[in-house]
Amino acid sequence: MRERDTIIPCNFQYSKPKPFFPRRKTRQIKIGEVAIGGGAPIVVQSMTKTDTRDIERTVSQIKKLEQEGCEIVRLAVPDREAVKALGEIKKQVSLPLVADIHFDYRLAIACLKKGVDALRINPGNIGSREKVREVVRAAKDRAVPIRIGVNSGSLEKGLLRKYGKASPEAMVESALRHVRILEDMDFPLIKISLKASDVMRTVEAYKIMADKVDYPFHAGITESGSLIPGSVKSSVGLSMLLNLGLADTIRVSLTAPPEEEVRVGFLILSSLGLRFRGPNIISCPICARCEVDLLKIVTEIEKRLSSAKDYIDVAIMGCMVNGPGEAKEADIGVACGRGVGVLFKKGRVYRRLKEQEIIPEFVKEVKKLVGV
Ligand code: SF4
């Protein structure tokens, strides 16, 4: 038997995937012009990692996030100076901004006056009913939604005593307490998040909550870690939630630049067939048959196509044994061999490239298809 007959071909699936479950039916709210829930596309959001008081750096980070496709940005607002900066930042960016505030109701009201598009604040943590009422009144006047965000790490002591730990049930009860405060004040523009730093607890909490309210969910695995471990943990957790139809906005929380959070967020959505942004790069894992520097070729092509927004299947394969079969299946592909690359378009050989032409010419051909 010849060597090529012994190779088991890789079975890549090139057709766009489809999620297993329908989306949970929710009310719809709007953060700025971005619709959330109620059948709207799942929204990718992130959070700035600059000091909000540093207007220039924060604006620059928000603009970078926008280029990556981010649709909503959250900023921590720890004090009055940050509120003042937020007002300036708001004038210089077009993405909707969410002010993240802990405890101080006056900061929440000041942010609303600065034109912020949403608040993340837990009403049960800001003191007297009158203080909550003031915030709610100001949010209602401006039709600004409030996200109730429960984190397993900061649950109320009473709930920890009642449940013995930060269990999914304890997280849900905490969120419901905050929800009820807003409902009692006739405030319906609510979004909920229930984040734990481990996958199963997070998923369970959302599953329980889904039976109790019809407000949209913001989903994510909190404090999930650095780029690779955090992306894996977030992908697993968000995939479970998305496949159950339990996420309306997502954030991948990484100890990494926020643009990476957005990139990973879209990759998760496109892997599940929920939203598509940019080329889907299919590349082989490299083996002893590879006769080119495929790692360099793939890395460089990915970098040069990073601004492309349209979805297209792009295959970059390392040899002439398995490569052509896989490259043919994609919208555009290249199978590399010793000193050459055979370029396929829509299943047919289109061009032969010299090794040094592979990167620039392949990128040029992809760009023609996606109109960059
Ligand atoms: Fe598969 Fe790549 Fe090895 Fe070729 S070089 S057999 S495409 S892993």
Side-chain angles (χ1 to χ4, degrees), residues 307-334:
S307 60
K309 294 185 180 70
D310 289 348
Y311 182 92
I312 186 176
D313 286 321
V314 173
I316 309 162
M317 307 298 292
C319 75
M320 291 296 176
V321 181
N322 273 349
E326 310 301 340
K328 268 187 208 167
E329 295 288 324
D331 294 309
I332 182 164
V334 61

Side-chain angles (χ1 to χ4, degrees), residues 96-107:
L97 302 183
V98 181
D100 189 300
I101 292 154
H102 284 278
F103 309 119
D104 191 339
Y105 80 106
R106 288 163 303 186
L107 293 180

Side-chain angles (χ1 to χ4, degrees), residues 105 127-135 137 185:
Y105 80 106
S128 72
R129 219 170 164 71
E130 197 34 52
K131 289 176 181 168
V132 180
R133 199 178 294 280
E134 265 194 66
V135 175
R137 206 178 294 132
M185 295 181 183

Side-chain angles (χ1 to χ4, degrees), residues 7-10 12 283-291 294 316-324 326 336:
I7 295 164
I8 302 165
C10 332
F12 290 127
S283 60
C284 81
I286 304 174
C287 74
R289 290 182 194 89
C290 187
E291 293 178 314
L294 195 70
I316 309 162
M317 307 298 292
C319 75
M320 291 296 176
V321 181
N322 273 349
E326 310 301 340
C336 304

Side-chain angles (χ1 to χ4, degrees), residues 28-36 43 71-72 90 94-97 117:
Q28 189 169 86
I29 60 168
K30 275 185 137 188
I31 295 187
E33 290 303 311
V34 180
I36 292 163
V43 171
E71 293 159 306
I72 296 175
K90 178 78 188 136
S94 47
L95 285 182
L97 302 183
D117 301 284

Side-chain angles (χ1 to χ4, degrees), residues 243-261:
N243 245 333
L244 291 166
L246 297 182
D248 301 293
T249 62
I250 62 166
R251 180 192 174 198
V252 176
S253 304
L254 298 175
T255 314
E259 303 92 90
E260 303 289 0
E261 298 187 353

Side-chain angles (χ1 to χ4, degrees), residues 3 11 22 28 78 80 141 170 200 204 300 319 324 332 335 365:
E3 191 201 25
N11 288 318
Q28 189 169 86
R80 284 261 158 205
D141 286 349
M200 299 316 284
E204 194 54 32
E300 191 55 34
C319 75
I332 182 164
E365 294 296 340

